[in-house]
Amino acid sequence: MLFSRISRIPRTAINGRRWFLSLWPEHHPQLRRSENPCFPNGSSFKVLAGSEKSYWGFPALHGFRHKIHHQSSSIVEEQQDPFSLVADELSLLANRLRLMVVAEVPKLASAAEYFFKMGVDGKRFRPTVLLLMATALNVSIPEPYPSGYGDASDELRARQQCIAEITEMIHVASLLHDDVLDDADTRRGIGSLNFVMGNKIAVLAGDFLLSRACVALASLKNTEVVSLLAKVVEHLVTGETMQMSATSEQRCSMEYYMQKTYYKTASLISNSCKAIALLAGQTAEVAMLAYEYGRNLGLAYQLIDDVLDFTGTSASLGKGSLSDIRHGIITAPILFAMEEFPQLRAVVDQGLDNPANVDLALEYLGKSRGIQRARELATKHANLAAAAIHSLPENDNEEVRKSRRALLDLTRRVITRTK
């Protein structure tokens, strides 16, 4: 299982944080040092600024491709489940998320908590990436039970955890809104919130999560990070609008599809990775490598999602298979099939609300290399994500190296997953 734990990693030693042992301060005094790391106690932090470059193309990798370090190739290294490396932090983060969405109105609180309940909250892919990136980029890793309880490394990690929490709240809010727009009735294998509680409550729950994310983001008191994640929310809205309002020509354009995919999926993880680097005081160059990793990993993830919509089952996906094409959404496999069979364009233009046209489109897809070419494009982006990690400055710290190996492993897992 992706979320399996490795028993030999002691809970007290994960990233050296004593307060990871507890869930909430009222019941666990170990956490009283920092009741909510998203709201540091008035501390000020110096962060080096980085410059943002175009997301389209690969500017951050220009000049690096021929000097990749491959720093781990000379020794035999243990493969470790990436999710297990941050399992204890993820558990703490999940509990904090559930507590952060408490509201004065019980129905709103219940709705907002819906996808943070134990057993429903998914594999936490994005927080895992961000916590691993935090360790992969941090100059020093705090030891267990550090002297001086206000250790700067602890404060940095708390702020980076806050980015992971904010990212997950934005992500879940976008899912709630998407399900309303798509009239979905399932999500992650259970009834979608709009199906269970209605569209109005689902929209308000998404808005509430975004407001909580904004409060947590403001608490970081870092204008560049605030700007990055505010831009993400804009991108989510832009991407959804692009999908809803596309012309016939745009729906059949691979460039339009990739730009929309960046806005809807890759912007969140790429800009969050960059925020992790900025909080660590990394250079603009390193921050852009973190961004490129997230961008390409996000694109690869969505391309495989689009493939699985055709090849997976409803049970494995946690939603209906063929969901996109039945909603008239054209994705990479169909776009590639259209290049081989131009007559498929006429079928698409006639409208996919007709089941006969859907069947005909699937017939063309089956005769084409559309699925294979979409997988190949996903692999290309996964390799670019791996190249960004290989291009990071060398570091001899074993925890840093272990996290970088885990980030590389995630690029493989993204393209080989079946759900």
Side-chain angles (χ1 to χ4, degrees):
M1 295 294 292
L2 287 181
F3 220 91
S4 61
R5 294 173 183 243
I6 293 183
S7 58
R8 69 174 183 277
I9 300 180
R11 294 178 68 86
T12 55
I14 297 293
N15 294 305
R17 226 92 48 218
R18 180 179 186 177
W19 36 273
F20 288 172
L21 298 174
S22 61
L23 302 180
W24 198 243
E26 285 83 347
H27 306 293
H28 301 273
Q30 300 99 311
L31 194 59
R32 285 178 185 155
R33 170 187 178 271
S34 178
E35 292 191 359
N36 191 336
C38 276
F39 300 89
N41 300 321
S43 301
S44 61
F45 298 85
K46 180 179 180 182
V47 178
L48 297 181
S51 58
E52 181 167 340
K53 301 181 184 178
S54 169
Y55 66 85
W56 204 242
F58 313 100
L61 296 180
H62 182 70
F64 296 128
R65 293 176 183 172
H66 302 296
K67 57 177 182 179
I68 292 174
H69 298 302
H70 297 294
Q71 58 218 45
S72 61
S73 60
S74 60
I75 58 175
V76 178
E77 292 164 333
E78 177 187 7
Q79 279 294 106
Q80 202 162 25
D81 175 20
F83 296 87
S84 71
L85 290 177
V86 292
D88 281 34
E89 275 187 279
L90 287 173
S91 178
L92 178 72
L93 183 145
N95 280 285
R96 274 208 304 260
L97 281 171
R98 284 190 286 273
L99 289 161
M100 286 172 73
V101 298
V102 172
E104 293 179 7
V105 180
K107 192 166 187 178
L108 180 59
S110 177
E113 187 194 4
Y114 193 67
F115 287 119
F116 295 125
K117 291 179 180 176
M118 197 69 73
V120 179
D121 51 8
K123 56 189 176 296
R124 296 273 181 252
F125 176 77
R126 289 158 190 81
T128 297
V129 170
L130 296 174
L131 294 172
L132 288 171
M133 183 64 74
T135 303
L137 296 182
N138 287 351
V139 176
S140 61
I141 306 300
E143 299 298 326
Y145 302 98
S147 60
Y149 227 24
D151 187 276
S153 296
D154 278 350
E155 293 289 358
L156 170 59
R157 190 66 177 204
R159 287 158 66 78
Q160 290 172 323
Q161 285 177 342
C162 188
I163 293 293
E165 292 165 7
I166 291 165
T167 298
E168 192 68 356
M169 283 191 283
I170 293 174
H171 172 60
V172 172
S174 73
L175 296 184
L176 297 179
H177 288 163
D178 282 357
D179 284 347
V180 171
L181 292 170
D182 297 340
D183 198 26
D185 54 13
T186 60
R187 169 70 67 177
R188 294 175 178 172
I190 64 170
S192 61
L193 184 62
N194 56 299
F195 180 77
V196 173
M197 293 189 176
N199 285 344
K200 291 180 180 179
I201 287 294
V203 170
L204 290 172
D207 292 345
F208 176 67
L209 287 176
L210 287 175
S211 69
R212 283 295 167 96
C214 289
V215 171
L217 184 57
S219 75
L220 294 174
K221 297 181 173 64
N222 184 299
T223 54
E224 187 167 10
V225 168
V226 169
S227 178
L228 279 177
L229 293 183
K231 180 66 71 173
V232 164
V233 177
E234 178 188 332
H235 285 170
L236 288 168
V237 175
T238 300
E240 195 61 46
T241 305
M242 288 175 69
Q243 182 168 288
M244 292 171 58
S245 61
T247 65
S248 174
E249 200 67 34
Q250 289 169 333
R251 289 173 72 209
C252 298
S253 163
M254 179 62 77
E255 183 179 0
Y256 189 87
Y257 160 82
M258 290 298 289
Q259 186 173 4
K260 179 195 71 175
T261 298
Y262 169 79
Y263 283 148
K264 282 176 60 70
T265 303
S267 174
L268 177 59
I269 190 66
S270 60
N271 284 295
S272 296
C273 283
K274 185 176 180 180
I276 290 287
L278 292 175
L279 288 178
Q282 290 287 355
T283 65
E285 180 180 86
V286 169
M288 279 307 298
L289 288 172
Y291 170 89
E292 286 292 342
Y293 175 84
R295 187 180 78 86
N296 285 292
L297 189 74
L299 291 174
Y301 189 98
Q302 186 58 50
L303 284 161
I304 295 300
D305 246 19
D306 293 342
V307 167
L308 293 176
D309 193 55
F310 292 102
T311 64
T313 64
S314 296
S316 68
L317 298 176
K319 62 178 182 179
S321 57
L322 301 178
S323 173
D324 286 336
I325 193 169
R326 284 174 175 159
H327 282 92
I329 299 171
I330 307 303
T331 57
I334 292 291
L335 291 172
F336 282 127
M338 209 177 291
E339 291 180 9
E340 291 181 58
F341 297 98
Q343 56 269 43
L344 176 54
R345 170 71 183 269
V347 177
V348 170
D349 287 343
Q350 286 174 18
L352 295 172
D353 49 349
N354 183 342
N357 285 343
V358 171
D359 291 341
L360 190 53
L362 292 176
E363 185 180 329
Y364 279 118
L365 177 63
K367 293 188 293 186
S368 75
R369 294 180 64 252
I371 295 290
Q372 181 181 341
R373 290 182 66 190
R375 286 191 180 278
E376 289 170 356
L377 184 57
T379 301
K380 172 187 172 182
H381 283 288
N383 289 339
L384 286 168
I389 297 301
H390 283 305
S391 297
L392 291 171
E394 292 190 25
N395 193 303
D396 293 330
N397 183 286
E398 183 53 33
E399 293 301 313
V400 170
R401 292 162 67 90
K402 191 184 297 182
S403 291
R404 291 183 182 183
R405 291 196 297 270
L407 290 170
L408 292 173
D409 189 29
L410 284 176
T411 66
R412 178 188 62 81
R413 290 172 181 251
V414 158
I415 59 175
T416 57
R417 65 194 177 95
T418 57
K419 61 181 182 178

